[in-house]
Amino acid sequence: GLSDLIWNNETASKLKGLIDSVSVSLNASNKEDYFDLVRPKFGINSFDAMLKFTKDCTKYVPSVMMTVVDVVTTKEEQELCRKICESVGATFRIRPYN
């Protein structure tokens, strides 16, 4: 989900025709919680970049999914995350913690 930041360039279009699905770890419903949980080296705005990348992927990849881990999120948080997924055009999935 942070490939645009890693490569300092929009990357979703480069996936066209190469893969048929992509899964992005959403992990949280807001940038502050995402930052606290993931600790991305690109800072607090990594959340927004991840959402943009995911939305861009929906133009080039047939199946786009976003996930959260069941033990990290509450039911309320999961519902907020579901709404985020819908807003960017991705499928929502709750991953079990192993």
Side-chain angles (χ1 to χ4, degrees):
L2 301 180
S3 65
D4 290 357
L5 296 175
I6 293 167
W7 294 102
N8 197 29
N9 196 353
E10 291 187 4
T11 56
S13 63
K14 294 172 174 37
L15 303 175
K16 185 177 181 179
L18 297 177
I19 61 173
D20 57 10
S21 66
V22 65
S23 179
V24 177
S25 296
L26 176 55
N27 295 323
S29 65
N30 62 71
K31 65 173 64 180
E32 293 80 14
D33 290 344
Y34 180 84
F35 181 77
D36 288 343
L37 182 64
V38 178
R39 305 306 255 176
K41 73 177 185 175
F42 301 103
I44 192 83
N45 292 322
S46 296
F47 182 79
D48 296 329
M50 176 265 303
L51 293 179
K52 181 187 179 308
F53 169 78
T54 305
K55 187 172 186 169
D56 289 349
C57 280
T58 65
K59 301 173 196 170
Y60 305 105
V61 180
S63 175
V64 179
M65 178 184 311
M66 298 185 90
T67 65
V68 298
V69 179
D70 59 356
V71 298
V72 175
T73 56
T74 64
K75 296 291 184 194
E76 293 81 16
E77 179 79 0
Q78 290 170 5
E79 187 54 35
L80 292 171
C81 289
R82 180 182 312 283
K83 290 177 181 177
I84 289 170
C85 291
E86 290 171 359
S87 76
V88 298
T91 302
F92 178 63
R93 183 170 78 88
I94 300 170
R95 297 187 322 267
Y97 179 75
N98 293 334

